[in-house]
Amino acid sequence: MSTSAASANIKRRLAAVLLGCFCAITTTVAHAHDAVVGGSPADGEVLASAPTTVTLEFSGEPKQGFNTMAISNSKGDVLVTGEPTVDGRNVTLAIPETTTLTPDEYTIGFQITSSDGHSTRGKTTFTIAERRYVTDIFFTPRRFKFRILVFMHH
């Protein structure tokens, strides 16, 4: 094989590899749906008190309409459900004042219309911790402190 033929063969192979990489990358990007990248409360966060809203931050900007969020307790009871507000990448559901969230583990379930137009479902969790009251008592020559740890159960 001549040098020019070998060089042309290498160029064709390189072009094929580059085209294959380009197709793989663009196919992956085209099928990527928005994912949760943050929120308030954050996924797995432990809170001292109940939130008044829950917000999920997505990797893209979900489309308006056809979005829903729900909050359920550890037993699976749906306590709050509704259409959230969309503000850029943030999707927020208000928790009505008539809904009481007690210490428990909660799941935020969602179905949104991703920025690519496809439906995306998922969930995150948060926990409301038992209330703790702490008081300290320590006897030292110059100081008097008192500590009692009480857990309140509901």
Side-chain angles (χ1 to χ4, degrees):
M1 185 181 290
S2 70
T3 305
S4 62
S7 177
N9 192 19
I10 290 173
K11 287 179 182 178
R12 279 194 298 271
R13 287 183 180 185
L14 181 60
V17 168
L18 291 174
L19 180 62
C21 290
F22 175 76
C23 289
I25 291 169
T26 57
T27 300
T28 302
V29 171
H31 293 298
H33 302 306
D34 297 341
V36 174
V37 295
S40 177
D43 190 21
E45 185 174 356
V46 177
L47 306 175
S49 61
T52 56
T53 63
V54 291
T55 300
L56 298 177
E57 179 187 359
F58 288 88
S59 56
E61 293 187 9
K63 295 185 180 282
Q64 296 284 346
F66 305 110
N67 299 314
T68 188
M69 288 175 70
I71 301 173
S72 57
N73 63 17
S74 62
K75 296 177 187 173
D77 301 325
V78 176
L79 305 174
V80 180
T81 187
E83 185 170 348
T85 58
V86 177
D87 182 17
R89 296 181 348 167
N90 295 316
V91 178
T92 302
L93 180 66
I95 300 171
E97 290 180 16
T98 57
T99 301
T100 303
L101 300 181
T102 59
D104 197 358
E105 184 174 327
Y106 293 91
T107 300
I108 304 169
F110 64 88
Q111 180 172 335
I112 59 141
T113 304
S114 289
S115 56
D116 65 2
H118 292 100
S119 179
T120 300
R121 294 181 183 189
K123 65 183 178 180
T124 65
T125 63
F126 69 94
T127 300
I128 299 174
E130 295 282 337
R131 291 187 197 147
R132 296 186 333 167
Y133 298 95
V134 178
T135 310
D136 288 328
I137 290 186
F138 291 105
F139 295 97
T140 62
R142 295 186 173 187
R143 207 163 75 165
F144 175 75
K145 275 191 158 180
F146 180 75
R147 181 177 202 142
I148 297 178
L149 187 59
V150 179
F151 291 94
M152 302 298 292
H153 297 282
H154 294 271

